[in-house]
Amino acid sequence: MLEEQDGRRAAAAQSIGPMISVTIDSPNSDIGPQWDDLVRRASSNVFMNPAALIAASETGFASIQMLMAWEEGDGPRKLVGVWALQSRKVLPFWPRVLEALPYTYAFLSSPVVDFACVDGVIAAFFAAIAASRSLPKVLSLPSLDAECPSYSAMRRELASRGIEPLTLSESARPFVTPGFGVKRSGSTRKKLRQDWNRLSALGTIDVVNDRTLDGALQAFERFLALENASWKGDRGTALLSDPHDAAFVRRLFQSLAAQGNASVALLRVNGEAISAQVLMYCGTTAYTWKTAFDVEYAKYSPGALLIDKITDELFAGSGIVAINSCAAEASFMGQLWAGRRPMVDLLIDIGTRKSVGYRIEAARQLAYQRLRSWRDGFRRWRSTPRPKKLGVASHP
């Protein structure tokens, strides 16, 4: 009965636009050319790149299902949407959930959808999930771009189904374009100039962003070494701290770099890299994925200097028209960039009513959000300067 209802919904959505079908498959390389064509006319999300999904799947890093929307017509069918979903369980006895961050170290869950048929594609995606016998019906959608057209389409489609998603959190992500968001004056700009001048006194400094495959791979190893030598290595959270993670990110980066869609910008002093910024690319958007720097140069703010310089270089002539920080508003990029992108975390049950699995997952995520809020509040309290107590003067 549910499948019949969803079939009627999909047909209704298609009746107002082109006929759209959805296939569900594990990641494969067959859609490479179609993907390249899609990103030229669609919203951007580098983490949905089939090469990245294959890397996660073949290294056993994530269990991924790719939803691919196709426009059917008289000629060859055209790819009009891709949405990769990770099937996961928190614990062995926990209900399975579909998460739209397809793997750990992905920072955007929005689908890549042709701007010309957003409503039809989103309706077809939800109908396909609801009709599938193998996919969970509980969807966790963290890090959704609330400014992307697909988000508004999701809201409209869910409303038409009588589904009210649970909004877990709303936030803002540092995000810049050539015309908006880069701070050109003020105290931040003054400090960057001072740090650059102080660093220049140590020798010859330059910024390189070699996008050849060999150059990118060598720079990525330098990034991994810098990160491992930092506090992340001490705490066991660096990428090299876990062999499984290290194998995946190396495969991920190599797969994207082979397409020209990943590189590492380096800030160098006398030829020695002291800061590294991993960059990923999708269409006309660049993503500042991961950063690391040599702690011996921390007083010069090498990470901030590198971001500042590479932002200008990317906008100068590489075809990039937006940079997504992949970072929280409280990060150092939030101090460098005034531009913001609204983000939202949602939890959805595609079924006709809220399932037990949905309620369990909602309770878990709400508890997690509450703990994070308490933790962040405690950290702010700890970092707030306390007024000094006035002592009582003693008399001889």
Side-chain angles (χ1 to χ4, degrees):
M1 184 64 178
L2 182 59
E3 292 184 17
E4 292 177 2
Q5 292 174 350
D6 284 305
R8 287 195 293 271
R9 290 182 189 275
Q14 293 163 1
S15 67
I16 61 173
M19 294 295 292
I20 295 171
S21 65
V22 173
T23 57
I24 303 174
D25 201 354
S26 58
N28 61 77
S29 58
D30 294 342
I31 67 163
Q34 293 96 323
W35 166 265
D36 293 338
D37 178 59
L38 172 63
V39 296
R40 287 192 285 266
R41 48 187 164 80
S43 50
S44 172
N45 187 346
V46 70
F47 305 108
M48 300 287 169
N49 187 312
L53 303 176
I54 291 169
S57 181
E58 292 188 352
T59 57
F61 199 72
S63 175
I64 300 172
Q65 293 296 311
M66 285 182 67
L67 276 65
M68 293 166 283
W70 304 89
E71 181 181 297
E72 308 285 353
D74 296 333
R77 65 179 186 172
K78 181 170 69 173
L79 185 67
V80 291
V82 170
W83 203 12
L85 304 170
Q86 176 184 179
S87 179
R88 63 160 177 80
K89 280 186 176 185
V90 176
L91 296 168
F93 56 84
W94 210 263
R96 276 201 310 147
V97 172
L98 278 179
E99 183 173 309
L101 289 179
Y103 43 84
T104 306
Y105 307 121
F107 297 103
L108 187 62
S109 63
S110 303
V112 177
V113 181
D114 191 322
F115 292 124
C117 48
V118 175
D119 285 302
V121 170
I122 294 301
F125 276 155
F126 282 134
I129 294 169
S132 172
R133 296 182 184 275
S134 60
L135 293 182
K137 303 300 177 268
V138 179
L139 274 70
S140 178
L141 308 178
S143 300
L144 269 176
D145 184 342
E147 204 169 297
C148 187
S150 61
Y151 176 69
S152 298
M154 284 183 190
R155 285 286 190 177
R156 288 190 292 270
E157 175 60 19
L158 291 171
S160 74
R161 290 171 166 264
I163 297 173
E164 180 62 32
L166 173 62
T167 300
L168 295 162
S169 70
E170 296 177 325
S171 60
R173 174 176 292 184
F175 188 99
V176 289
T177 65
F180 177 73
V182 178
K183 294 182 179 180
R184 298 298 182 188
S185 60
S187 58
T188 298
R189 177 60 50 187
K190 179 180 179 181
K191 185 177 186 307
L192 288 171
R193 287 196 300 268
Q194 291 173 340
D195 287 338
W196 183 265
N197 291 335
R198 290 193 302 130
L199 190 62
S200 298
L202 302 181
T204 302
I205 60 174
D206 63 353
V207 173
V208 294
N209 183 26
D210 188 345
R211 294 187 64 171
T212 66
L213 180 57
D214 287 344
L217 293 178
Q218 290 177 22
F220 188 65
E221 291 301 319
R222 179 56 179 156
F223 154 75
L224 291 174
L226 282 172
E227 186 194 51
N228 199 49
S230 72
W231 61 268
K232 288 187 177 182
D234 294 338
R235 294 185 183 180
T237 59
L239 294 171
L240 291 181
S241 299
D242 187 306
H244 194 205
D245 287 19
F248 164 63
V249 296
R250 281 186 168 118
R251 173 72 183 275
L252 168 69
F253 183 84
Q254 181 178 19
S255 298
L256 292 176
Q259 302 174 338
N261 286 325
S263 64
V264 181
L266 300 175
L267 173 62
R268 304 187 305 184
V269 176
N270 297 324
E272 179 67 23
I274 65 166
S275 181
Q277 176 61 60
V278 183
L279 299 162
M280 296 179 176
Y281 311 92
C282 182
T284 57
T285 301
Y287 297 79
T288 52
W289 183 62
K290 290 279 186 179
T291 189
F293 62 89
D294 189 329
V295 293
E296 291 186 6
Y297 293 85
K299 65 181 179 180
Y300 302 100
S301 306
L305 288 177
L306 179 54
I307 285 291
D308 181 57
K309 295 298 181 182
I310 202 63
T311 297
D312 288 339
E313 287 191 15
L314 288 172
F315 287 150
S318 62
I320 297 299
V321 300
I323 306 176
N324 187 320
S325 69
C326 300
E329 187 173 16
S331 67
F332 78 91
M333 290 187 190
Q335 301 173 25
L336 291 175
W337 299 344
R340 296 293 185 268
R341 194 80 166 180
M343 307 294 292
V344 63
D345 295 356
L346 298 182
L347 188 69
I348 301 168
D349 194 330
I350 295 298
T352 54
R353 53 182 165 177
K354 299 294 189 294
S355 64
V356 173
Y358 170 86
R359 296 178 190 280
I360 292 173
E361 182 65 15
R364 184 190 73 83
Q365 293 212 29
L366 286 171
Y368 176 73
Q369 291 289 344
R370 192 172 296 115
L371 287 171
R372 285 189 62 182
S373 178
W374 289 344
R375 180 203 64 186
D376 294 343
F378 179 71
R379 287 177 175 174
R380 287 193 296 270
W381 177 80
R382 286 286 302 272
S383 63
T384 301
R386 298 287 179 268
K388 294 181 178 179
K389 293 182 179 180
L390 296 176
V392 178
S394 59
H395 296 281

